[in-house]
Amino acid sequence: MANKTLEARFRGLRREAERRVQERQREGVPTISIVMSTCALASGAAETRDAIKETLERIKVPARIVPVGCMGHCYAEPLVVIDHPASGFPPICYHRIDAGIARVVIRSFFEDGDPSFEYVLGALEENDLVPPVTQFPRFNLEERVVMELCGRIDPGDIQEYIARGGYAALARALDGEPESVIDTIERSGLRGRGGAGFPTGRKWRLARSARSERKVVICNADEGDPGAYMDRTILESNPHQVLEGLAIAAYAVGADEALVYVRAEYPLAVKTVQKAVRDAEACSLLGRGVLGTAFDLKVSVFQGSGAFVCGEETALIQSVEGRRGMPRHRPPYPVEKGLWGRPTVVNNVKTLASVPPIVSKGADWFRTIGTENSPGTAIFSVVGNVKHPGLVEVPMGTSLRKLIFDVCGGIPGKKAFKAVQIGGPSGGCLPERFLDTPIDFDSLAQAGAMMGSGGMVVMDQDSCMVDVARYFVDFTQKESCGKCTFCRIGTRHLLVMLDRITKGEGREEDLEIMETLSHDIKAGSLCGLGKTAPNPVITSLRYFREEYEAHIRERRCPALKCRALVAFYIDLERCARGCDACVGCCPVEAIFTTKGRKKAIDQQRCVKCGECMVACPPEYNAVFKVSPPERAPVIERPPENGPAPAGNP
Ligand SMILES: Cc1cc2nc3c(=O)[nH]c(=O)nc-3n(C[C@H](O)[C@H](O)[C@H](O)COP(=O)(O)O)c2cc1C
Ligand code: SF4
Ligand code: SF4
């Protein structure tokens, strides 16, 4: 390094971090890592941790319990890793470890030397004793750049991040000119991961050339799309990689102030980032005179109130300024006039977290991953009808088929794939024929969807595309800030039409009106919310038009989803006389006994909850769902079998 003070400061930090981490390893006690991210906590990880601690105390085994972030395998939470070299076993990752199982696993492992194979997800190292995790296609198909350390370090311990090479990219950047950092990012071809895919290097160059004494960099962690949790997970699992990217961005553009904008609905992410900022300041990695240089950077954490539109950069800036979060006209763009009138760079969490590896390993290395126009990796939170929902990071250019079927295990329950919704509420629904589309900014846009910020909802044969479009329009309509007439009222009209179609009250002319209105809303809206809100309608009309027509013309929901258009009935041939399984589960006493001592459903009372279908034993499988509802056979309720009087148990 040319700057000797900087080099000495950073080398000292690194050496101290490595010493502390090695010291812990030398202690020889087993390390038990427990995933403690929001997804894990929702699955009972806190109870698992308490059970592990209690069992270790009871059997008098000293161990180091380390909370780690999300590994991306949300379907398998709570996840626990036991690393005890003296046992002869490699580090073993256990899945679905609730408190009860945790007690069993800990006792067997430490008392009997039995690794409890039935709960093993895989060994984290190649070995001859325990099948390694690399045998799962998911581990070989993923390529982790942003999430490399997620689930492998304690997010609350800055020493672990530094010891594994963290903040070296910042030190390297500070040792050179800001221009050369921008040059590297430009050459890497990094495009913004917040949705639009704008070239990051170009954005930074524009901000750098803006004339102003003071500039600002904002990390956009608003993440309001339903089903999306990538940014939250990264902040919870490895906040320092994001802060390091933020600091490099600030140095490159000449900013002395930075902000992490994270929604208050993400309390763990807020807490984790706040601590990370304090720890980085204490190590002179943020704050005044970073690593002994003249670069100052004040970082604060701002909690958003959870409006989807506040993820839009100009609305976000207004909300930080204490005003109502509403997008404003651009230009001027934030890079010219942003927060408090200062040139402001707004970048997504994943964009910033991609920066340290690029600065450390070089632009050419980054370009070896992904495609020509979309280098690097794509991170998706995959939810819906897949066997292994969770967070995945794959090289750009990976096909949707590979992601859904190989990485995420395909569709459960032997059901057929129907569609995938990419790009959040404003994305498009793509049918099966698009499964070989490569995941990159341009290919997805060509197919009528968009990268978005990383939400992906997979749907099987039981999903009604009219209902899906209704769900997303309901979301965007409620989240519209109301500034533009087309967005405010147009989405409302779309919703009214979708609503009535799902109720079997659609009109023949609705489809044409929805198409025209969708294009008008796109044209007449100021910001991305209104410009993309009709996308689910446009794509579902394009690819699943026959479903709309069935709803309108036949009052039929082909997916048997829309409640108003279905009915349940019991096949008398299949019903077993004495089995009362359905009767007990019906919440409205709609099931009665026929004259032939079989069961039947009173269609007037039935609220279509579907509980009887679940309760009917598989050997009879006597409950059916049909659409239109008139297809259900009508069976008169015998008078003596009438509904129980109100209040009668
Ligand atoms: C309605 C709406 C919501 C948005 N929400 C987010 C968000 O949650 N996170 C994000 O990074 N970008 C979001 N964006 C995009 C931002 O306006 C901006 O383009 C992005 O933060 C820039 O970062 P990037 O260049 O790193 O992609 C949203 C845009 C719109 C129109
Ligand atoms: S398009 Fe919708 S959300 Fe965007 S500014 Fe206009 S009214 Fe507000
Ligand atoms: S669908 Fe629900 S309400 Fe209707 S008969 Fe079955 S259990 Fe009762």
Side-chain angles (χ1 to χ4, degrees):
M1 277 186 188
N3 184 334
K4 293 298 161 202
T5 319
L6 167 68
E7 186 182 9
R9 284 268 189 122
F10 185 67
R11 202 186 304 137
L13 261 184
R14 177 92 175 248
R15 209 179 286 143
E16 175 60 13
E18 283 168 353
R19 188 189 63 75
R20 285 206 210 174
V21 170
Q22 280 163 7
E23 207 171 81
R24 283 181 211 143
Q25 283 162 355
R26 268 199 300 272
E27 282 167 13
V29 296
T31 300
I32 300 178
S33 307
I34 307 170
V35 177
M36 295 296 284
S37 52
T38 297
C39 49
L41 288 169
S43 308
E47 291 77 12
T48 298
R49 177 203 51 207
D50 295 346
I52 290 177
K53 279 187 178 169
E54 192 188 288
T55 312
L56 288 167
E57 271 170 31
R58 189 163 300 157
I59 62 175
K60 300 197 170 35
V61 171
R64 212 166 62 85
I65 308 276
V66 181
V68 293
C70 176
M71 297 178 183
H73 299 263
C74 310
Y75 64 93
E77 299 288 1
L79 283 157
V80 173
V81 176
I82 302 182
D83 184 4
H84 185 30
S87 68
F89 291 116
I92 302 175
C93 182
Y94 293 91
H95 67 318
R96 298 198 170 99
I97 302 298
D98 65 22
I101 297 174
R103 291 187 190 97
V104 174
V105 170
I106 294 293
R107 290 200 96 113
S108 326
F109 191 99
F110 292 103
E111 290 191 326
D112 312 328
D114 170 4
S116 304
F117 283 104
E118 60 271 45
Y119 305 115
V120 170
L121 180 69
L124 299 184
E125 285 169 9
E126 298 297 318
N127 70 100
D128 298 331
L129 300 172
V130 184
V133 287
T134 45
Q135 69 179 205
F136 295 105
R138 182 176 187 129
F139 285 83
N140 297 319
L141 295 172
E142 280 200 58
E143 175 140 9
R144 295 204 166 185
V145 170
V146 169
M147 289 176 54
E148 193 195 347
L149 295 179
C150 290
R152 295 172 59 196
I153 57 170
D154 176 355
D157 186 351
I158 191 170
Q159 307 293 345
E160 282 202 31
Y161 181 65
I162 298 172
R164 289 183 181 245
Y167 287 107
L170 175 62
R172 178 190 277 236
L174 293 178
D175 194 42
E177 291 301 317
E179 285 289 343
S180 97
V181 178
I182 295 180
D183 188 49
T184 304
I185 299 300
E186 260 181 347
R187 281 190 301 106
S188 76
L190 175 65
R191 295 174 67 173
R193 277 13 183 192
F198 190 82
T200 307
R202 199 188 312 161
K203 188 183 274 189
W204 290 10
R205 193 170 290 289
L206 288 167
R208 172 130 200 105
S209 57
R211 269 185 292 177
S212 172
E213 286 288 293
R214 305 202 56 194
K215 297 175 186 173
V216 187
V217 176
I218 297 178
C219 168
N220 188 347
D222 188 54
E223 192 171 60
D225 323 18
Y229 53 91
M230 313 75 52
D231 297 351
R232 181 196 77 204
T233 304
I234 294 165
L235 285 178
E236 286 175 1
S237 308
N238 189 3
H240 286 290
Q241 189 163 326
V242 183
L243 291 181
E244 186 178 4
L246 190 67
I248 294 171
Y251 176 68
V253 306
D256 63 351
E257 194 178 339
L259 202 107
V260 182
Y261 187 100
V262 51
R263 53 178 52 220
E265 288 156 337
Y266 285 178
L268 183 58
V270 170
K271 210 171 101 189
T272 311
V273 182
Q274 283 170 335
K275 178 172 185 327
V277 171
R278 285 196 304 274
D279 291 348
E281 280 171 353
C283 293
S284 180
L285 292 161
L286 297 176
R288 289 191 73 81
V290 172
L291 289 171
T293 64
F295 171 53
D296 297 335
L297 184 64
K298 179 175 169 291
V299 179
S300 42
V301 178
F302 187 94
Q303 296 185 49
S305 301
F308 175 57
V309 76
C310 283
E312 195 281 336
E313 56 188 14
T314 59
L316 181 152
I317 288 168
Q318 304 238 50
S319 87
V320 176
E321 289 172 347
R323 290 187 279 157
R324 182 171 164 187
M326 270 184 161
R328 63 153 173 79
H329 276 280
R330 298 175 301 175
Y333 286 92
V335 285
E336 306 157 67
K337 204 162 179 239
L339 188 63
W340 313 116
R342 298 171 196 159
T344 302
V345 165
V346 180
N347 271 139
N348 173 259
V349 170
K350 299 176 287 299
T351 313
L352 292 169
S354 301
V355 168
I358 295 173
V359 172
S360 288
K361 299 178 188 174
D364 293 339
W365 163 80
F366 192 67
R367 279 198 168 276
T368 60
I369 309 165
T371 65
E372 170 91 31
N373 285 331
S374 304
T377 56
I379 298 182
F380 285 103
S381 53
V382 186
V383 297
N385 306 123
V386 281
K387 279 189 193 145
H388 300 146
L391 227 61
V392 296
E393 182 171 9
V394 289
M396 289 271 192
T398 304
S399 72
L400 283 166
R401 188 185 300 280
K402 204 175 242 185
L403 183 86
I404 295 167
F405 287 89
D406 298 339
V407 180
C408 295
I411 316 295
K414 297 197 180 116
K415 293 196 174 164
F417 168 89
K418 182 158 188 183
V420 56
Q421 162 87 9
I422 315 167
S426 331
C429 298
L430 301 182
E432 191 174 4
R433 69 175 190 271
F434 285 94
L435 275 177
D436 293 312
T437 306
I439 296 168
D440 64 62
F441 289 103
D442 310 315
S443 308
L444 288 178
Q446 239 167 28
M450 57 197 252
M451 274 291 285
S453 65
M456 183 181 285
V457 187
V458 180
M459 290 166 265
D460 70 12
Q461 63 193 56
D462 295 337
S463 306
C464 166
M465 300 319 291
V466 185
D467 190 50
V468 167
R470 193 201 59 77
Y471 170 83
F472 284 115
V473 171
D474 183 47
F475 176 83
T476 38
Q477 188 268 326
K478 287 192 177 112
E479 294 291 334
S480 164
C481 79
K483 188 171 184 162
C484 314
T485 314
F486 273 100
C487 176
R488 184 181 69 246
I489 301 174
T491 53
R492 178 83 203 137
H493 279 294
L494 274 185
L495 183 62
V496 167
M497 281 184 274
L498 288 164
D499 225 28
R500 71 173 172 239
I501 294 174
T502 56
K503 287 184 179 139
E505 295 159 9
R507 303 169 193 161
E508 198 61 40
E509 64 273 22
D510 282 349
L511 301 188
E512 211 183 310
I513 297 174
M514 283 203 304
E515 260 163 354
T516 314
L517 184 56
S518 291
H519 290 107
D520 289 347
I521 294 169
K522 277 164 115 33
S525 293
L526 171 65
C527 86
L529 191 151
K531 283 188 185 304
T532 57
N535 283 352
V537 179
I538 293 173
T539 49
S540 57
L541 269 172
R542 188 184 303 155
Y543 301 129
F544 300 94
R545 198 178 187 91
E546 66 289 352
E547 284 200 32
Y548 281 89
E549 289 168 351
H551 280 70
I552 295 173
R553 294 178 189 159
E554 303 166 43
R555 291 192 70 244
R556 178 171 67 86
C557 174
L560 304 178
K561 191 83 187 170
C562 296
R563 197 175 271 213
L565 302 186
V566 299
F568 289 83
Y569 75 92
I570 295 172
D571 183 338
L572 298 183
E573 298 291 311
R574 287 169 162 261
C575 175
R577 282 162 185 266
C579 162
D580 273 3
C582 57
V583 178
C585 73
C586 179
V588 289
E589 297 177 17
I591 301 176
F592 60 90
T593 306
T594 65
K595 284 184 190 137
R597 308 309 298 160
K598 302 284 181 89
K599 300 289 175 261
I601 294 176
D602 180 342
Q603 298 296 339
Q604 302 304 317
R605 284 180 77 84
C606 174
V607 290
K608 304 177 186 181
C609 68
E611 285 299 317
C612 51
M613 205 164 181
V614 179
C616 183
E619 59 269 36
Y620 307 128
N621 234 350
V623 184
F624 288 85
K625 196 179 183 185
V626 285
S627 181
E630 300 79 54
R631 279 190 53 209
V634 179
I635 297 167
E636 287 297 319
R637 190 171 197 148
E640 72 275 14
N641 239 322
N648 200 350

